Amino acid sequence: MTTVLKLGGSVLTEKERAETVDEAALERAADALAAADDRLVVVHGGGSFGHHHAAAHGVSESAGTRDDGAIRAIHGAMTRLNAAVIEALAGVGVPAVPVHPFSGIRRSADGALDPTTAHVGTMLEEGLVPVLHGDVVAHEGAGATILSGDELVVVLAGALSADRVGVCSTTPGVYDADGNVIDRVGSFEAVAEAVGDSDATDVTGGMAGKVRALLSLDAPASVFGLGDLPAFVDGGEPGTRIE
Ligand code: IPE
């Protein structure tokens, strides 16, 4: 059983304070993952590490930069958050190892991702827990653009034939227009009005982008909050199921 799990950047960081880890949340997430017995790939988002730098340099999934300093600033911030996540996981006995997408994934001119993932598969086979993150990636004809953790989840779930996907977010699931968590989402049209557009400080698409990305997967996905992470790790389907 292979599980791809995204830990939202807003869950792990204090999104309004630049480069600040929410230590209590990270510890809760790490404790939950310590109980996992599936093959596990972890992807984390940017939160206050990635988005501030990306916005400051005007970089998004489609707007690129050739400013090498901007690329280092965004990538560097993400590797610092990655190191904090790895340390927390290793501290509770999870065999976590870092994988930096900038070094193995590119976008071709049409914006499609051209990933190298064989090393991630081998890490899984060898009993390791690869921990990837949203990042900048070289983009043919556009310099470098942002790769969101959500895009990465889709790429990895496909390449590794994942059996299940989890997205741990700041909300307990996908809300309907009345603010209630929806049990199951089968099409974007059904929730388009409720999920709306992205948050102002999120350069990669908020809940609408997540739902679209997860609907495109073969594997079933669940969107849930941090309090439900232990239930998901235990094989449950908390929050909203997207399939
Ligand atoms: C964003 O990744 C990465 C960068 C801005 C470099 P995500 O879009 O997956 O991050 P969160 O989970 O929304 O914070």
Side-chain angles (χ1 to χ4, degrees), residues 6-11 13 15 43-55 59 61 74-75 78 133-136 146-151 168 199 202-206 210:
K6 160 126 191 244
L7 298 173
S10 315
V11 175
T13 71
K15 208 164 180 181
V43 174
H44 64 79
S48 64
F49 285 74
H51 291 287
H52 281 276
H53 290 284
V59 186
E61 282 173 348
I74 299 165
H75 178 69
M78 290 306 305
H133 52 85
D135 206 347
V136 266
I146 300 296
L147 167 73
S148 74
D150 297 338
E151 284 183 291
C168 180
D199 307 326
D202 188 329
V203 295
T204 52
K210 263 187 236 320

